[in-house]
Amino acid sequence: MEKLPMNESVRPMQLVWFRDDLRTTDNPALASALSSGPVMALFILDEKSPGIRALGSASKWWLHHSLESLQESLAEIGIPLILRQGPAEAAIREIVEQSQTRAVHWNRRYGHAERMVDAQIKAELNAAGIPTRSHAGTLLHEPWELLTKNGTGYKAFTPFYNALRNSEIRPPLPSPAPQQPIAAGQLPSSDALDSLELLPNAATWTEGLAQRWEPGEPAARERFQCVLESIAGNYPETHDRPDLDGTSALSPALRWGHLSAHELWDALGRLASAHPQCADGATAMRRQLAWRDFCWHLYYHHPQLPDRNLRSSFDHFDWAWPEQDARIAQQVRLWQQGRTGFGLVDAGMKQLWQTGWMHNRVRMVAASLLVKNLQVHWKVGERWFWDTLVDADIASNSANWQWVAGSGADAAPYFRVFNPEMQAKKFDPQGSYVAHFAPLAAEPIVDLKQSRLDALEAYEQMKLRPGAI
């Protein structure tokens, strides 16, 4: 990009590039831009840049409606939203050349491929005389800020969490004030939202998503308030119960940035101070929020996390793959369809298909059945969750699947195999969750006792293979 001349007839603009931060409140990139001049906003659907993983179907549905909501929220403060698709580098270059952009602002991303894209764009813009301003707006702490005494990233959650809670976390930013609207003639062209083709062709599949969720910042803030008023106090007793509304259910809002992690952390702290009876619940919820940071911390320091076992010894495990075995392929299909014969797992998988979300306790149980009782590679389950979860993010999805498989950091011991029948008795004691999502029992696809013994034997054999640790 050549150094761009200034057109004195056009007002200089501040460009805010939205990515996974689709909100106006506590958005550092937006706040910085508004303090510097007139602002226009940009979102790029980039599935073409090297290494960028295409979104899953449920995520695309969520994104479509989130962009509709963001457009309305930005319009309320006088900011137009421009939509583009294709490689981000080309889109940014075209936007800058079509407008009088004075500076480009964004909140940082932490995936390796995304960081490479951002670095290339930053270098190109700086060479053209257009400064870039990157901000910390996604995580509680930057992954390079919290390190062990040896200067490396953490691999265990508890010491990471202790370091996080003992560190200084910035307070939320004030809500932005409206700016004077920008004349349409000064704006670059925008793609139509429908042209991004984010909505699945099978409209019937998304009916359940629409009944369960309202994507966007306003709905996220309503749920946020509900969590503070009625859920956080009882969180330690209810968050493991899929039959109750006992979790925050804010994971999609955090994944898409409708809600700031800083704001949630701060609000939970104030709740604990003002209402001591809620302190345990607020602390427990903060701990779950820290798990999200930990997953991104792992991914930043180990970019291979979505593709390779973090513990190399698991490279020697004889995983099953549906592409290589017809029987395994059939078992995986039954698992995906919620027809395993184990009520808690089937209810979770049907909840996932109907709503794009699954209770976290049930996610662990369903994942354990796949990777331990059936000995199917964790990447098979990770791919399915990536396509069907509205809150799918690459760090949490990969880290949590590896945690269950035993191949990741701070992983569950390989000998821990969740028993779905015992888990159901403990966490769905009245059977109401299973009755709601999976009332019709199916024939069990595997013997729990024998498959557990087979899995443990396979893990022992893995340890004996040459090169295994």
Side-chain angles (χ1 to χ4, degrees):
M1 182 186 295
E2 297 180 358
K3 197 171 185 70
L4 300 176
M6 289 294 180
N7 184 342
E8 298 301 332
S9 65
V10 179
R11 280 197 300 171
M13 298 283 185
Q14 302 290 315
L15 177 63
V16 180
W17 179 14
F18 283 83
R19 290 96 77 84
D20 300 326
D21 52 352
L22 307 182
R23 66 180 182 274
T24 59
T25 303
D26 193 34
N27 189 317
L30 179 60
S32 175
L34 283 169
S35 69
S36 304
V39 172
M40 61 181 177
L42 170 67
F43 180 86
I44 306 167
L45 179 63
D46 181 6
E47 297 179 316
K48 301 295 184 181
S49 292
I52 300 294
R53 188 178 189 181
L55 295 173
S57 300
S59 292
K60 288 183 177 180
W61 175 87
W62 188 283
L63 176 58
H64 176 95
H65 295 290
S66 296
L67 290 174
E68 285 183 323
S69 177
L70 179 65
Q71 197 164 33
E72 294 175 3
S73 296
L74 288 171
E76 291 176 0
I77 54 176
I79 297 175
L81 176 62
I82 300 163
L83 302 177
R84 291 292 177 91
Q85 57 184 316
E89 185 178 350
I92 292 281
R93 182 187 304 119
E94 189 174 88
I95 290 291
V96 168
E97 290 174 349
Q98 291 178 356
S99 66
Q100 195 71 5
T101 298
R102 181 64 60 85
V104 180
H105 305 253
W106 63 64
N107 293 315
R108 287 189 280 273
R109 302 185 289 185
Y110 304 97
H112 179 74
E114 289 81 1
R115 286 187 286 123
M116 296 302 100
V117 170
D118 292 354
Q120 179 61 34
I121 291 173
K122 181 177 182 178
E124 188 171 333
L125 288 171
N126 289 345
I130 300 171
T132 56
R133 305 281 186 260
S134 64
H135 305 270
T138 302
L139 303 178
L140 294 170
H141 256 295
E142 302 299 82
W144 54 86
E145 290 180 344
L146 294 181
L147 299 174
T148 66
K149 293 180 180 179
N150 295 327
T152 61
Y154 287 93
K155 280 193 173 182
F157 173 73
T158 298
F160 171 84
Y161 177 57
N162 290 335
L164 177 69
R165 66 179 181 174
N166 291 327
S167 64
E168 183 177 348
I169 297 177
R170 71 162 176 82
L173 301 170
S175 298
Q179 70 172 15
Q180 182 180 353
I182 299 171
Q186 294 183 284
L187 297 173
S189 60
S190 174
D191 293 340
L193 178 56
D194 287 343
S195 73
L196 303 186
E197 298 182 342
L198 295 167
L199 295 178
N201 293 327
T204 54
W205 176 63
T206 62
E207 289 178 359
L209 303 185
Q211 290 174 5
R212 173 64 178 86
W213 304 103
E214 182 182 349
E217 183 178 6
R221 300 196 69 79
E222 286 185 15
R223 177 64 183 179
F224 173 46
Q225 195 59 40
C226 175
V227 166
L228 295 178
E229 292 176 356
S230 61
I231 293 176
N234 297 320
Y235 188 76
E237 295 78 28
T238 62
H239 80 280
D240 261 333
R241 293 278 300 273
D243 57 332
L244 303 175
D245 183 18
T247 71
S248 74
L250 289 173
S251 55
L254 289 164
R255 183 266 178 263
W256 293 101
H258 304 322
L259 184 66
S260 157
H262 291 88
E263 188 174 9
L264 179 55
W265 182 275
D266 182 74
L268 290 170
R270 287 187 284 106
L271 176 69
S273 297
H275 303 282
Q277 70 276 16
C278 295
D280 289 346
T283 299
M285 197 170 286
R286 269 186 164 187
R287 185 179 176 89
Q288 292 301 312
L289 191 58
W291 261 105
R292 174 177 175 269
D293 256 50
F294 180 57
C295 290
W296 280 102
H297 181 88
L298 285 175
Y299 183 33
Y300 176 84
H301 290 283
H302 306 279
Q304 76 277 16
L305 186 69
D307 303 308
R308 300 203 303 271
N309 299 310
L310 204 56
R311 296 172 184 248
S312 59
S313 58
F314 279 77
D315 295 343
H316 302 273
F317 190 84
D318 191 18
W319 299 105
W321 293 89
E323 298 86 353
Q324 300 171 359
D325 187 317
R327 181 182 64 86
I328 293 297
Q330 174 64 6
Q331 289 181 328
V332 169
R333 281 193 294 270
L334 292 173
W335 177 81
Q336 291 171 339
Q337 295 166 1
R339 297 168 56 200
T340 68
F342 303 105
L344 189 66
V345 173
D346 291 346
M349 299 306 291
K350 288 182 181 294
Q351 180 186 30
L352 172 62
W353 183 253
Q354 293 172 24
T355 72
W357 185 84
M358 189 196 303
H359 189 281
N360 189 59
R361 166 61 55 173
V362 187
R363 294 188 197 198
M364 292 189 290
V365 177
S368 177
L369 184 73
L370 184 72
V371 301
K372 290 186 173 174
N373 297 93
L374 301 180
Q375 296 183 43
V376 174
H377 199 291
W378 59 265
K379 289 175 69 173
V380 175
E382 192 276 339
R383 289 196 301 252
W384 183 251
F385 275 24
W386 179 261
D387 194 46
T388 54
L389 281 171
V390 295
D391 62 5
D393 77 56
I394 194 167
S396 296
N397 204 32
S398 304
N400 286 319
W401 272 97
Q402 289 219 43
W403 182 87
V404 174
S407 62
D410 207 26
Y414 70 87
F415 51 80
R416 182 181 185 185
V417 182
F418 286 98
N419 184 309
E421 295 175 339
M422 294 177 62
Q423 292 283 307
K425 290 179 181 178
K426 185 174 183 180
F427 297 110
D428 184 27
Q430 306 303 318
S432 57
Y433 174 75
V434 171
H436 179 75
F437 285 105
L440 300 178
E443 186 78 15
I445 63 174
V446 68
D447 180 274
L448 290 178
K449 183 177 180 180
Q450 185 59 50
S451 61
R452 178 181 180 275
L453 294 175
D454 292 344
L456 295 180
E457 175 62 22
Y459 281 119
E460 288 300 319
Q461 292 299 317
M462 173 194 74
K463 292 162 61 178
L464 298 175
R465 295 194 177 195
I469 298 174

